[in-house]
Amino acid sequence: MALPSIKNATFTLRIKEFDKPLSIRPMIVAEHKAIQQVIDIGSENDIALTISEVTNSCTNGKVDAKSVPQYVLDFVFLQIYMTSVENVVSSTYTCYNYLKNEENGDILYDEETGDPILCDNNIDVKIPLSNANIIYPEKYEELRRIEVTKGVFLNLKNLALQQNIDISEMRNNIMSTVNRLAELDDADESPEVLKEIKDINKKLADIRAEIKDKYTFMSVESIDDNGKIMLPEVDFTAEEFKTWLDSCPSSVIADSEDFFESAPIVGMDIKITCPKCMNTSEVKLRGLKDFF
């Protein structure tokens, strides 16, 4: 006898990064299992990519690792998780406030070391996922549009998950070179060693410059030339953009750094009162992994 067919319900989510409401279905059992398995045995990148695949499937391809900013993917996945699994997740918070005297409120000190005594109490915390929001930096829309010269604007965007992973892997590749440099620092200063150190330092400088150039180019949404919109990979290449950027006023670099340092992020603030020391702390959750 055939088992009954399953029709999954859907819900809509309004988010300002999309013109129309997103139609979303909850996770199915197989998708939930895949996430649990990769959390047990996978790397941080494996977890992120599995989450993105599930999110992509649950949004009928509208939200994926290549096309939307990572903070959007994180927020949408959180909504999927709430409707599929649970709205409240359990976590543990360790209190690092100082213990105080119950009578006068003075900080207590260790008699042997003279150091203040930390509470160090572990507290079970329930995190209501429905309180999570996308936190946008102050003047975010202003930061992402940089005036290069009169009538010419550089419009920036936040990287998608896959782009962040690509940059992360490039940075990880530096480590083997850095480790070799550390080995040479302990070696005899022979002409051969000194030459290799010089070559490695040049290689590191080149790699860092390559990473910065790639990161900047991937962050370009468009160039607005007096109303004419030019798109990366359509109207100009990475090399053409690098040459153009080198000719821009140096203030463009400073302005773009301000944007890069203030990306939106999924987060929430919760207040936790420790039952042992009675101190209340405000804990800031920032980024999807803080919730799990």
Side-chain angles (χ1 to χ4, degrees):
M1 181 182 295
L3 294 175
S5 60
I6 304 298
K7 184 177 181 180
N8 291 297
T10 61
F11 65 96
T12 57
L13 175 66
R14 291 184 178 273
I15 181 171
K16 73 175 187 177
E17 281 76 7
F18 291 90
D19 294 333
K20 298 179 180 178
L22 285 173
S23 179
I24 298 174
R25 67 160 174 81
M27 282 188 285
I28 59 176
V29 171
E31 291 165 339
H32 191 203
K33 282 182 177 179
I35 290 175
Q36 289 178 316
Q37 289 172 352
V38 77
I39 288 174
D40 291 336
I41 61 174
S43 66
E44 188 171 319
N45 283 349
D46 291 335
I47 295 170
L49 287 173
T50 302
I51 285 175
S52 73
E53 290 169 3
V54 170
T55 304
N56 183 42
S57 178
C58 291
T59 58
N60 198 25
K62 294 293 192 299
V63 179
D64 63 37
K66 296 181 180 179
S67 65
V68 300
Q70 183 169 350
Y71 70 88
V72 172
L73 191 151
D74 289 348
F75 181 72
V76 173
F77 172 75
L78 210 56
Q79 309 310 304
I80 293 170
Y81 188 89
M82 282 192 296
T83 61
S84 310
V85 186
E86 56 187 347
N87 183 32
V88 177
V89 296
S90 300
S91 185
T92 302
Y93 169 76
T94 302
C95 179
Y96 292 112
N97 288 299
Y98 294 129
L99 284 179
K100 295 181 180 180
N101 188 299
E102 293 182 3
E103 296 180 359
N104 56 26
D106 292 341
I107 294 175
L108 298 177
Y109 291 85
D110 188 287
E111 294 182 359
E112 294 184 3
T113 64
D115 296 329
I117 301 175
L118 291 175
C119 175
D120 203 30
N121 183 37
N122 290 325
I123 309 163
D124 292 330
V125 179
K126 302 293 185 183
I127 302 174
L129 298 182
S130 57
N131 289 349
N133 288 297
I134 297 174
I135 300 173
Y136 295 92
E138 188 177 356
K139 298 182 179 179
Y140 172 68
E141 293 300 328
E142 295 179 27
L143 290 172
R144 65 190 296 267
R145 183 170 171 82
I146 299 171
E147 185 171 16
V148 179
T149 188
K150 187 174 181 179
V152 177
F153 296 87
L154 175 62
N155 299 316
L156 299 176
K157 63 181 181 180
N158 295 104
L159 298 192
L161 170 63
Q162 185 61 62
Q163 293 172 319
N164 278 324
I165 289 176
D166 292 343
I167 293 295
S168 175
E169 289 178 348
M170 289 180 70
R171 287 173 175 155
N172 289 338
N173 291 336
I174 293 179
M175 292 312 300
S176 60
T177 307
V178 171
N179 292 337
R180 176 56 181 160
L181 189 61
E183 292 174 2
L184 293 173
D185 285 341
D186 296 330
D188 296 332
E189 293 187 357
S190 64
E192 294 80 7
V193 169
L194 292 176
K195 181 180 184 305
E196 187 175 356
I197 290 175
K198 182 178 179 180
D199 291 344
I200 289 177
N201 279 322
K202 182 180 184 306
K203 181 180 179 181
L204 284 173
D206 291 342
I207 294 174
R208 290 186 178 112
E210 181 187 0
I211 291 173
K212 187 171 184 179
D213 289 342
K214 185 171 183 177
Y215 185 92
T216 304
F217 181 68
M218 289 193 301
S219 300
V220 176
E221 182 176 74
S222 65
I223 295 174
D224 182 349
D225 181 10
N226 290 281
K228 179 185 177 182
I229 303 300
M230 305 176 69
L231 303 176
E233 303 290 11
V234 175
D235 301 303
F236 55 90
T237 65
E239 192 60 35
E240 289 172 332
F241 175 75
K242 181 178 180 297
T243 301
W244 177 80
L245 185 63
D246 286 344
S247 69
C248 291
S250 59
S251 60
V252 172
I253 297 299
D255 291 341
S256 62
E257 290 294 338
D258 288 342
F259 172 78
F260 296 147
E261 292 172 2
S262 57
I265 193 168
V266 173
M268 65 181 286
D269 300 337
I270 57 174
K271 289 185 177 180
I272 300 173
T273 299
C274 176
K276 179 179 177 181
C277 67
M278 299 310 296
N279 281 298
T280 298
S281 301
E282 184 173 68
V283 178
K284 296 182 180 295
L285 304 179
R286 297 292 184 268
L288 190 60
K289 63 182 179 181
D290 275 6
F291 290 86
F292 299 98

